[in-house]
């Protein structure tokens, strides 16, 4: 080896290291968790703050990395050509240089550093931040030119991409859950919050047939009995018919009036709120808070009572079912020992899709399982009526007051036909095993 080649080889080794440095930096900064970095920076982490400051100038940072990487790789290719040409001659030197430099750059300048940076982005970003800060400052004129070029292209090629969508947020939550950064309970709470604005009142209301209400001419003793039997602390009050709910009576107001000895029904009825089934529960929640109400009457398109919705119904969309010490806890989905599912007729159709991993059917308009069965059967279902939902065979097990209370679902077993049992193949084998016509005639 000639003495002049040693500096050349050393220079090429340095360039390979620099190529790996720029490649690792690019991958590290594109893989950073900005939310976690912001949290650490807010907690006083100086390194996280430095990394975050660089990542927020990502356009300048990226152009600096690309400029540096290209300078390094081009210089490495040039030095490699000089070295191998002097070593092997002008005929084969450039070819060997191209092959060797390409392999070296791919392994040590691209694949290896990028793979390592992908696994430890914050560690690599922290170690490269000081050098990159200096390089971004040095390359400011070039970064300015490339920034102007980018603005020129942006004016002529408009991007139709918008901000982060709900689906993308859901994906981010799933990734955080898979990485162990969120527990299952935390991720479910975040998903519920993301979907909160899409839920309408009709999906959470108590339907009219289940509403416990009292007439405005009820006696005080009957009112006390209604509170005791229902277990509710607030009861809607109607005039003549439940389609004409005029207010709400609170159990606390009733007992305070009875204690004072001046109880009268018309003095206990407080005003109530009215809403529609298409109202978003997020908007209704704000209204309930502003008006200091805990209940609203849901009115249908004909002005009648469709049901009622309470503050608890809305909150349960965020945190799940809320049971107090007087509630009778029920399960809407119960797996039986024989593999079947018993599903409550009041269960949500969306919960059914999720619980049984059934693809969502866009043709189903019903909100509850009871309505779904009515759609499937095309009439008012009776006990014993059969229906199918995707891969499940269903049967109505309980009904009351012209609605379904419970259904049983059994998953069908999918059998794969055995090619050896194909009837046509059987026929061919039988024909082959039969004696020829001449043999049968002579037997």
């Amino acid at each position: 080896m000639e003495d002049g080649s040693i500096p050349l080889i050393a220079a090429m080794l340095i360039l390979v290291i620099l190529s790996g440095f720029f490649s690792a930096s690019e991958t590290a900064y594109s893989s950073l968790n900005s939310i976690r970095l912001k949290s650490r920076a807010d907690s006083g982490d100086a390194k996280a703050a430095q990394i975050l400051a660089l990542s927020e100038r990502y356009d300048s940072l990226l152009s600096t990395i690309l400029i540096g990487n290209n300078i390094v790789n081009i210089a490495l290719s040039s030095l490699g050509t000089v070295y191998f040409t002097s070593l092997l001659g002008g005929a084969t030197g450039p070819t060997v240089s191209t092959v060797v430099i390409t392999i070296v750059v791919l392994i040590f300048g691209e694949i290896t550093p990028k793979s390592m940076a992908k696994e430890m982005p914050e560690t690599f970003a922290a170690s490269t931040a000081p050098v990159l800060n200096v390089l971004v400052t040095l390359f400011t004129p070039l970064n300015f030119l490339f920034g102007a070029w980018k603005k020129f292209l942006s004016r002529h090629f408009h991007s139709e991409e918008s901000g982060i969508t709900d689906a993308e947020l859901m994906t981010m939550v799933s990734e955080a859950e898979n990485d162990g950064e969120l527990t299952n309970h935390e991720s479910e709470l975040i998903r519920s919050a993301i979907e909160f604005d899409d839920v309408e009142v009709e999906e959470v209301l108590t339907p009219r047939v289940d509403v416990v209400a009292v007439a405005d001419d009820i006696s005080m003793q009957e009112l006390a009995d209604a509170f005791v039997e229902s277990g509710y602390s607030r009861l809607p009050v109607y005039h003549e018919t439940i389609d004409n709910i005029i207010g709400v009576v609170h159990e606390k107001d009733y007992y305070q009036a009875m204690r004072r000895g001046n109880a009268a029904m018309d003095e206990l009825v407080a005003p109530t709120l009215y809403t529609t089934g298409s109202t978003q529960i997020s908007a209704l929640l704000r209204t309930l808070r502003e008006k200091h109400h805990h209940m609203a009457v849901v009115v249908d398109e004909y002005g009648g009572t469709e049901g009622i919705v309470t503050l608890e119904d809305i909150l349960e969309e965020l945190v799940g079912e809320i049971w107090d010490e007087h509630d009778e806890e029920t399960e809407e989905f119960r797996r039986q020992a024989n593999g079947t599912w018993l599903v409550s007729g009041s269960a949500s159709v969306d919960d059914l899709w999720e619980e049984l991993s059934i693809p969502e059917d866009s043709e189903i308009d019903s909100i509850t399982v009871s309505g779904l069965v009515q759609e499937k059967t095309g009439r008012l279902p009776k006990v014993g009526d059969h229906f199918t939902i995707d891969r499940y065979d269903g049967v109505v097990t309980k009904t009351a007051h012209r609605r379904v209370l419970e259904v049983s679902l059994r998953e069908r077993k999918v059998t794969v036909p055995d090619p050896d049992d194909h009837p046509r193949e059987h026929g061919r084998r039988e024909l082959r095993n039969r004696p020829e016509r001449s043999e049968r005639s002579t037997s």
Side-chain angles (χ1 to χ4, degrees), residues 158-169:
H158 298 287
S159 174
E160 297 181 357
E161 294 184 4
S162 57
I164 298 177
T165 64
D166 287 353
E168 291 170 338
L169 281 175

Side-chain angles (χ1 to χ4, degrees), residues 88-246:
L88 303 175
T92 58
T95 303
V96 173
S97 173
T98 300
V99 173
V100 172
I101 297 301
T102 300
I103 294 174
V104 169
V105 169
L106 282 176
I107 296 176
F108 300 105
E110 295 289 337
I111 298 174
T112 301
K114 286 186 175 182
S115 299
M116 295 175 65
K118 181 69 175 177
E119 296 296 324
M120 301 177 293
E122 292 183 13
T123 303
F124 270 85
S127 61
T128 60
V131 178
L132 289 175
N133 261 323
V134 175
L135 292 177
V136 168
T137 304
L138 290 176
F139 290 157
T140 298
L142 291 175
N143 290 335
F144 174 78
L145 292 176
F146 286 121
W149 174 247
K150 179 187 174 183
K151 291 179 181 178
F152 171 78
L153 293 177
S154 298
R155 285 197 298 267
H156 292 80
F157 302 95
H158 298 287
S159 174
E160 297 181 357
E161 294 184 4
S162 57
I164 298 177
T165 64
D166 287 353
E168 291 170 338
L169 281 175
M170 290 290 194
T171 302
M172 292 169 64
V173 172
S174 298
E175 291 178 353
E177 183 180 3
N178 294 333
D179 293 340
E181 297 175 6
L182 291 175
T183 64
N184 182 59
H185 175 71
E186 291 170 336
S187 60
E188 284 299 326
L189 186 61
I190 295 173
R191 289 190 185 96
S192 298
I194 294 172
E195 296 173 344
F196 192 69
D197 277 341
D198 298 329
V199 180
E200 296 180 348
V201 168
E202 64 179 356
E203 299 179 48
V204 302
L205 60 77
T206 299
R208 170 191 167 122
V209 294
D210 291 332
V211 173
V212 179
V214 295
D216 58 350
D217 57 357
I218 192 174
S219 68
M220 292 298 99
Q221 183 57 49
E222 290 174 324
L223 179 58
D225 293 339
F227 279 124
V228 172
E229 292 174 5
S230 67
Y232 299 131
S233 60
R234 294 177 180 83
L235 293 175
V237 181
Y238 62 86
H239 177 67
E240 295 183 350
T241 172
I242 197 172
D243 283 320
N244 185 23
I245 294 179
I246 59 174

